[in-house]
Amino acid sequence: ARPERFLQQAAELNMVVANMTSASNYFHLLRRQVKWEFRKPCVVFSPKSLLRHPGVVSPVKDFSSGVFTEVLDDPNAMAKEVKRVVLCTGKVFFDLQEYQQKKKIKNTALVRLEQLYPFPKKQLETVLKKYKNAELIWAQEEPYNMGYWAYIQRFMPDEKLKVVARKSSASPATGYSKVHKAEQEKIINLAFEI
């Protein structure tokens, strides 16, 4: 999919655009859509690789209680130790989390935007208040000229965000698995080292 195309059209509360990283949050998003007294399109970006990813699994209690959460904070981050906050959405979170755990990185918080439009400004501000002095980074798998980055800039113009993405490209993917894997590793490394 080309998320930037949907996000360019998102205005005047005309749709919901989301990218889930949790089964229970996906359930609550769909539940919220049905319970609303009005109807609007809901666009969900989710790659096939997350269908059976063990990190997406939620305990049953998360389905029976709770609500849709637009922004998910890093549950393992100790606010006092955090010097860097990596904002992301979707599948790239699991690659970042795997690297963070493997390298035992404690000074970085991974914050996920589960809903992109309407932009969850208040929810994001609430999470970011915990990390007042941390530098902010936006990480995405897509090339710099695609994906979510231009959209994020629109809604966070005053933030000094650094971006980690593939170099600008005419195509959303290289087409070669070895090149893709090398680019993916570079993105993940940069997110923690930039």
Side-chain angles (χ1 to χ4, degrees):
R2 301 295 290 268
E4 67 277 5
R5 294 183 181 174
F6 285 92
L7 293 171
Q8 286 169 346
Q9 299 173 51
E12 299 175 335
L13 304 175
N14 63 338
M15 66 175 89
V16 173
V17 179
N19 196 340
M20 304 289 102
T21 57
S22 144
S24 61
N25 217 22
Y26 189 21
F27 169 78
H28 288 297
L29 170 75
L30 296 176
R31 188 170 169 269
R32 182 182 76 174
Q33 282 291 116
V34 171
K35 286 185 73 176
W36 272 342
E37 294 178 6
F38 50 88
R39 295 287 167 250
K40 66 172 62 184
C42 180
V43 179
V44 177
F45 293 102
S46 184
K48 289 182 286 187
S49 63
L50 290 188
L51 288 174
R52 290 183 178 85
H53 194 286
V56 178
V57 176
S58 299
V60 174
K61 68 177 177 57
D62 289 356
F63 291 92
S64 57
S65 63
V67 294
F68 175 64
T69 309
E70 292 87 350
V71 179
L72 295 177
D73 192 6
D74 190 333
N76 302 319
M78 302 289 288
K80 292 177 183 175
E81 294 178 21
V82 172
K83 291 182 173 38
R84 171 183 292 124
V85 175
V86 178
L87 300 170
C88 63
T89 188
K91 184 177 95 56
V92 74
F93 164 75
F94 295 104
D95 296 333
L96 291 165
Q97 184 184 48
E98 182 183 331
Y99 183 89
Q100 181 188 41
Q101 291 171 350
K102 190 164 76 173
K103 300 282 185 177
K104 297 182 176 148
I105 299 170
K106 303 279 185 199
N107 67 347
T108 303
L110 302 175
V111 176
R112 295 170 271 174
L113 291 179
E114 297 278 290
Q115 177 177 292
L116 293 142
Y117 187 82
F119 191 75
K121 187 174 183 170
K122 288 180 184 173
Q123 295 91 328
L124 184 57
E125 285 174 354
T126 302
V127 170
L128 293 180
K129 275 183 190 173
K130 289 171 51 179
Y131 313 113
K132 290 179 204 166
N133 300 319
E135 70 174 328
L136 292 177
I137 294 166
W138 174 259
Q140 67 178 30
E141 292 182 282
E142 296 82 6
Y144 185 83
N145 61 323
M146 297 179 199
Y148 306 92
W149 171 234
Y151 173 79
I152 296 298
Q153 279 184 306
R154 261 190 5 217
F155 284 93
M156 299 178 74
D158 300 329
E159 299 292 340
K160 293 180 181 167
L161 275 168
K162 294 179 182 177
V163 65
V164 174
R166 284 180 164 76
K167 66 180 177 63
S168 293
S169 173
S171 171
T174 65
Y176 297 102
S177 63
K178 286 183 181 178
V179 175
H180 173 79
K181 188 176 179 182
E183 287 179 348
Q184 190 71 4
E185 286 175 12
K186 184 179 177 185
I187 289 168
I188 302 308
N189 289 336
L190 275 174
F192 290 96
E193 296 167 10
I194 195 169

